[in-house]
Amino acid sequence: MSGRLAVIGLGPGNADQVTPQAANAVAEASFFYGYKPYLDRLELRPDQTRIASDNREELARSNEALAKAAEGHNVAVVSGGDPGVFAMAAAVCEAIEAGPEEWRAIDISVVPGVTAMLAVAARIGAPLGHDFCAISLSDNLKPWELIELRLLAAAGAGFVIALYNPISKARPWQLGRAFECLKAVLPGTTPAIFGRAAGRPDERIEVSLLANADAAKADMATCIIIGSPETRIIKRREKPALVYTPRSATGSK
Amino acid sequence: MSGRLAVIGLGPGNADQVTPQAANAVAEASFFYGYKPYLDRLELRPDQTRIASDNREELARSNEALAKAAEGHNVAVVSGGDPGVFAMAAAVCEAIEAGPEEWRAIDISVVPGVTAMLAVAARIGAPLGHDFCAISLSDNLKPWELIELRLLAAAGAGFVIALYNPISKARPWQLGRAFECLKAVLPGTTPAIFGRAAGRPDERIEVSLLANADAAKADMATCIIIGSPETRIIKRREKPALVYTPRSATGSK
């Protein structure tokens, strides 16, 4: 008897950025697995059960949730942002591939959401208006050398770069090192946007230039967007500046 | 007297993927500018006015919308997906930068949405589960050589690649050429996902391998996701296959 497992994206954190599809999926599930701060966003009914776990326990959490679904229950795994972007959907797939055959019979669905870089970009203009990439700066699951290689490849080819998981207590130096890498190949005048908690009451969006980008301004809740050499800043007298990347590109630096 | 202009992302096309924030922004606006198929998704009141324009008229549409907002009106510019990803937010910023000084006093907001690659990824598993990029294949606004350079840089560095604007009547050969480029640097067994109209009634999601990827399967409404060498396919007996990119990476091919 196989149940259902929905991996649900709750968006950036503001209730009005949760899609009706996500809200419906939450209403239908009985057991909720997730990192505690994401579960705390939900208003569950008395008949709904939450099982909180810590950050960096994604695989164990996926295994527990799949085992519960395999018993025939309707299970939800929740993520902030979009569950497919550096979040729980990949962890659940990994667990299915490594797990018992019966887990492949579970009805799996993924409910997309507004991921952090889109929420941050929206608050400042359109920095992702042209070709862009998303890179996780966490070297827990990949070698740092690979991260540097990707930063250099992306910047050299003119991609705008969104940095996820920029910094944590266990990874204090990586973001500063990433800035150093990027400074070697991008103009110091390239816009660098620090977007913290976009759309939430404690939101803080700051525009800096790569030359002055200060890793100390970021925390775990920050998504950083580094422009391409084509990214522009529009100064406005009565309003905050807009940052955008034009739809056209020449490729020359 | 300056009005307001909201650039609103309507998501992939399914009503239950429109955020409450977007629905509220639609309810508040009086004049709606956009590509006709996106405007057709809205149920407007009699006191709300729609001004439809054709594809590829983004700059003219932005100018019109800004002029209307500068008269003191509450104006909406609508996009499918997310307005910051190959869509109207960048066009509006371009128009502001080139336009009269008074346009800089307009209250501009961007309402993010679920962009196509997230919707497609959600329907198939978690192909964007690790570092990825988004590239527009349209060479209307950038030279084709730059697109090839970016495809090769991204594939060579191990990014998963989402292709937007893959094909149109005016651009019939670009997608096939992109596949040829990618085949030169990626294994033929790399998964290639053709995601058309994800989440809509006419949805069609197909998983192919890069070696057999057929450009004729794509149309303007298709977003294509090309895996990295680490992307995996999980076969399931009773369910469609899942495609995902693991959270860990070694960087070796």
Side-chain angles (χ1 to χ4, degrees), chain A residues 97 131 142 157 232 244, chain B residues 97 131 142 150 157 232 244:
Chain A
E97 189 172 23
D131 302 334
K142 64 184 163 185
R232 303 182 60 79
Y244 80 102
Chain B
E97 190 173 22
D131 301 334
K142 64 184 164 188
R150 289 182 180 169
R232 303 182 59 79
Y244 81 102

Side-chain angles (χ1 to χ4, degrees), chain A residues 12 14-22 24 58-59 82-87 89-91 93-97 101 103-115 117-119 121-137 141-143 146-147 149-151 153-154 156-159 164 228 230 232-239 242-251, chain B residues 12 14-22 24 58-59 82-87 89-91 93-97 101 103-115 117-119 121-137 141-143 146-147 149-151 153-154 156-159 164 228 230 232-239 242-251:
Chain A
N14 194 327
D16 74 356
Q17 292 180 324
V18 178
T19 66
Q21 185 186 26
N24 292 339
E58 290 82 6
L59 201 57
D82 179 86
V85 176
F86 308 119
C93 288
E94 282 170 49
I96 292 170
E97 189 172 23
E101 178 67 28
W103 288 3
R104 300 189 184 211
I106 296 170
D107 187 2
I108 303 287
S109 62
V110 178
V111 179
V114 173
T115 183
M117 66 181 164
L118 303 184
R123 296 296 288 160
I124 200 79
L128 305 177
H130 203 57
D131 302 334
F132 64 92
C133 67
I135 300 178
S136 169
L137 280 195
L141 294 167
K142 64 184 163 185
L146 181 60
I147 298 175
L149 181 151
R150 289 182 179 168
L151 289 169
F159 287 96
Y164 280 71
S228 78
E230 320 243 10
R232 303 182 60 79
I233 299 179
I234 307 177
K235 296 255 160 84
R236 299 189 296 171
R237 222 173 308 174
E238 300 154 50
K239 308 272 179 192
L242 293 169
V243 183
Y244 80 102
T245 307
R247 298 164 304 139
S248 57
T250 61
Chain B
N14 193 326
D16 74 357
Q17 292 180 325
V18 178
T19 66
Q21 185 187 26
N24 293 337
E58 290 83 4
L59 201 57
D82 179 85
V85 176
F86 308 120
C93 288
E94 281 169 50
I96 292 170
E97 190 173 22
E101 178 66 28
W103 287 3
R104 300 189 184 209
I106 296 169
D107 187 2
I108 303 288
S109 61
V110 178
V111 179
V114 173
T115 183
M117 65 181 165
L118 302 184
R123 297 296 289 160
I124 199 79
L128 305 177
H130 204 57
D131 301 334
F132 64 92
C133 67
I135 300 178
S136 168
L137 280 194
L141 294 167
K142 64 184 164 188
L146 181 60
I147 297 175
L149 181 152
R150 289 182 180 169
L151 289 168
F159 287 96
Y164 279 72
S228 78
E230 320 242 10
R232 303 182 59 79
I233 299 179
I234 306 176
K235 296 254 159 82
R236 298 190 295 171
R237 222 174 307 175
E238 300 154 51
K239 308 273 178 191
L242 293 170
V243 183
Y244 81 102
T245 307
R247 299 164 304 142
S248 57
T250 61

Side-chain angles (χ1 to χ4, degrees), chain B residues 137 163-169 171-176 179 192-197 204 206 208 212-226:
Chain B
L137 280 194
L163 299 175
Y164 279 72
N165 303 319
I167 203 161
S168 73
K169 275 186 192 160
R171 296 182 290 102
W173 56 263
Q174 284 81 345
L175 179 59
F179 287 150
I193 301 155
F194 289 69
R196 189 182 178 287
R204 196 175 64 229
E206 284 186 54
S208 171
N212 315 320
D214 178 6
K217 283 189 182 167
D219 66 8
M220 272 181 66
T222 307
C223 179
I224 294 160
I225 299 176
I226 310 289

Side-chain angles (χ1 to χ4, degrees), chain A residues 44-199:
Chain A
L44 298 181
R45 301 182 305 263
D47 64 304
Q48 294 178 309
T49 304
R50 47 179 273 168
I51 302 97
S53 44
D54 207 353
N55 209 352
R56 297 201 282 171
E57 295 184 6
E58 290 82 6
L59 201 57
R61 180 188 304 145
S62 300
N63 283 326
E64 270 188 73
L66 285 159
K68 181 63 84 176
E71 289 170 13
H73 296 289
N74 194 337
V75 171
V77 173
V78 298
S79 272
D82 179 86
V85 176
F86 308 119
M88 288 304 299
V92 166
C93 288
E94 282 170 49
I96 292 170
E97 189 172 23
E101 178 67 28
E102 60 171 11
W103 288 3
R104 300 189 184 211
I106 296 170
D107 187 2
I108 303 287
S109 62
V110 178
V111 179
V114 173
T115 183
M117 66 181 164
L118 303 184
V120 169
R123 296 296 288 160
I124 200 79
L128 305 177
H130 203 57
D131 302 334
F132 64 92
C133 67
I135 300 178
S136 169
L137 280 195
S138 171
D139 56 353
N140 291 330
L141 294 167
K142 64 184 163 185
W144 178 255
E145 295 68 33
L146 181 60
I147 298 175
E148 288 201 0
L149 181 151
R150 289 182 179 168
L151 289 169
L152 293 174
F159 287 96
V160 174
I161 301 173
L163 300 175
Y164 280 71
N165 304 320
I167 203 161
S168 73
K169 274 186 194 164
R171 296 182 291 101
W173 54 263
Q174 284 80 346
L175 179 59
R177 183 75 167 271
F179 287 149
E180 292 308 317
C181 274
L182 294 172
K183 283 178 198 171
V185 288
L186 288 173
T189 52
T190 305
I193 300 154
F194 288 70
R196 189 182 177 285

